[in-house]
Amino acid sequence: MSFKLLVINPGSTSTKLGVYDDETPILVETLRHTSEEICKYKNIYDQFQFRKNVILDSLKKCKVDISTLHGVIGRGGLLKPISGGTYIVNERMLEDLKSGVQGQHASNLGGIIAHEIAKELNLTAYIVDPVVVDELHDVARISGIPEIERKSIFHALNQKAVGKKYANESGKKYEELNVIVAHMGGGISVGAHLKGKIVQVNNALDGDGPLSPERSGNVPIGDLIRLCYSGKYTLEEVMNKINSKGGYMAHFGTNDDRVVEQAAIDGDKKAKAVRDAMLYQVSLEIGKCAAVLNGKVDAIILTGGIAYSSSAVEYIKEKVAFIAEIIVYPGEDELLALVQGGLSVLKGEEVNKVYI
């Protein structure tokens, strides 16, 4: 039996939706929202009805009969830390998505909208591998300041999806392999996957790890503290320097790696230096993950938008190819990853998890 699924992935200024027959796309749409449409709402949850209506209107316009759906899957948001997998959207999850238990982000709306549409159709709603997937070794959480614990917030959906893709292509189970995945997009996360669990990964939301097109990456902590107390910046301004306006944005005013790469090719020495620094730091993070896995690494997977760049891939290969085979899955297909997570439960390949 095949399953027809609706998948929903809300972003800050757009909502991506797809209708799939198993893994075959029937409809894929990116619904853009103007700043005027978004700014009229005080907080993220207030956007719920607006976004839901836009989705339903688009489906109606494209003549999609939602009564034929078998399930609805939303992008998971900033929930409490949970292990990876596919979760039924329940009341406890809805409460935490609405309140923003770990913060406010448009992805919080994914599970809420999926639940409301599914409820009207007497279906079950799911989320898959949200950004708060936490499977860290206990030792990886400890910092030198007792009040501060390291957190796991990263590109879990794509990292898990490409790990499983590599396993499938290798004729093995994801739970049998040790892989390192470097997701390189606006933010960069590098994870050590130990037999199906991501036991080490940098916090890609708060600027931990390599510098990236939008993140500062690790910076000298003493200088950062002095910057915070300089009186020049508010808390919000400093946080923006770290998690949205750092990296390429701070140096060049763009988050497009293709622009910086071309500038480097054209002879811009700063562009080359900063881009090389980013790739150098990705390589360092991969080496750290290899140590976590005791050097027993089946493959290193490069993914995300920057993995389309042959020069980026070659730079990293030169640094870390001695560790393991390099596999490249450029870009990311979050809608398909959501579908695959839902299908794994609907087809009985995995048991859905319950958020508590």
Side-chain angles (χ1 to χ4, degrees):
M1 174 184 175
S2 65
F3 291 88
K4 188 174 179 181
L5 302 175
L6 169 63
V7 288
I8 300 165
N9 183 6
S12 57
T13 59
S14 67
T15 303
K16 294 179 181 178
L17 68 90
V19 178
Y20 284 73
D21 186 353
D22 277 358
E23 294 188 17
T24 302
I26 299 171
L27 170 70
V28 174
E29 289 274 298
T30 298
L31 309 174
R32 308 286 180 187
H33 313 308
T34 66
S35 57
E36 289 79 12
E37 288 174 319
I38 295 297
C39 289
K40 68 173 68 171
Y41 301 103
K42 185 176 180 180
N43 57 52
I44 294 293
Y45 179 62
D46 290 343
Q47 299 174 24
F48 156 67
Q49 194 63 52
F50 161 72
R51 297 231 194 190
K52 178 189 171 187
N53 290 342
V54 169
I55 290 168
L56 293 176
D57 288 346
S58 178
L59 293 171
K60 185 176 180 180
K61 189 181 300 182
C62 294
K63 298 181 179 179
V64 174
D65 182 0
I66 61 174
S67 69
T68 62
L69 295 173
H70 297 96
V72 187
I73 306 160
R75 178 72 187 271
L78 293 170
L79 294 160
K80 290 178 292 190
I82 56 177
S83 60
T86 300
Y87 287 76
I88 286 179
V89 179
N90 59 18
E91 289 301 321
R92 175 62 62 84
M93 182 184 294
L94 290 170
E95 290 173 10
D96 286 351
L97 289 172
K98 291 173 183 178
S99 67
V101 66
Q102 278 216 86
Q104 294 290 343
H105 189 271
S107 60
N108 290 12
L109 293 169
I112 299 170
I113 297 171
H115 171 77
E116 289 300 315
I117 293 176
K119 183 173 67 174
E120 293 169 7
L121 299 170
N122 199 29
L123 297 173
T124 302
Y126 303 92
I127 66 164
V128 180
D129 291 327
V131 294
V132 293
V133 165
D134 186 345
E135 300 166 338
L136 297 181
H137 281 319
D138 287 341
V139 70
R141 306 178 192 281
I142 300 170
S143 82
I145 300 178
E147 299 94 330
I148 300 176
E149 186 176 85
R150 300 189 189 280
K151 296 178 181 178
S152 176
I153 302 179
F154 68 109
H155 308 90
L157 184 62
N158 191 46
Q159 285 224 17
K160 289 275 189 179
V162 297
K164 292 174 182 178
K165 179 178 180 179
Y166 170 74
N168 183 58
E169 292 179 355
S170 303
K172 298 180 180 179
K173 293 182 178 179
Y174 173 56
E175 293 76 15
E176 297 173 343
L177 298 173
N178 292 347
V179 297
I180 298 170
V181 179
H183 174 106
M184 302 181 292
I188 293 176
S189 62
V190 183
H193 298 229
L194 174 65
K195 303 291 190 287
K197 301 290 185 183
I198 302 174
V199 297
Q200 168 67 43
V201 68
N202 58 292
N203 182 337
L205 177 65
D206 278 351
D208 186 30
L211 76 87
S212 76
E214 296 178 355
R215 311 287 197 270
S216 67
N218 292 328
V219 296
I221 190 167
D223 290 336
L224 177 60
I225 292 170
R226 283 185 280 273
L227 186 71
C228 291
Y229 282 89
S230 68
K232 296 179 181 179
Y233 306 102
T234 64
L235 171 63
E236 182 179 5
E237 287 169 336
V238 173
M239 291 304 296
N240 283 339
K241 282 179 173 290
I242 290 172
N243 62 27
S244 62
K245 296 180 180 177
Y248 282 1
M249 286 296 295
H251 283 283
F252 310 112
T254 179
N255 62 359
D256 192 334
D257 179 64
R258 295 167 299 181
V259 172
V260 178
E261 179 182 25
Q262 188 58 53
I265 292 170
D266 293 340
D268 186 324
K269 292 182 180 180
K270 180 181 178 181
K272 184 179 188 309
V274 173
R275 189 169 192 265
D276 283 355
M278 178 182 72
L279 301 174
Y280 176 85
Q281 291 170 25
V282 171
S283 304
L284 283 175
E285 206 72 21
I286 290 171
K288 180 195 297 184
C289 288
V292 170
L293 298 173
N294 298 328
K296 298 175 182 178
V297 184
D298 293 294
I300 297 166
I301 301 171
L302 306 181
T303 186
I306 295 174
Y308 281 111
S309 166
S310 59
S311 67
V313 170
E314 287 306 311
Y315 185 103
I316 296 170
K317 275 186 176 180
E318 287 185 11
K319 295 289 185 186
V320 302
F322 73 94
I323 298 172
E325 178 186 17
I326 308 292
I327 304 295
V328 183
Y329 295 136
E332 59 182 311
D333 192 338
E334 293 176 335
L335 294 183
L336 179 59
L338 291 171
V339 166
Q340 291 169 336
L343 288 174
S344 69
V345 167
L346 290 169
K347 293 191 173 185
E349 298 165 357
E350 295 181 19
V351 177
N352 69 264
K353 296 186 176 182
V354 178
Y355 183 79
I356 56 177

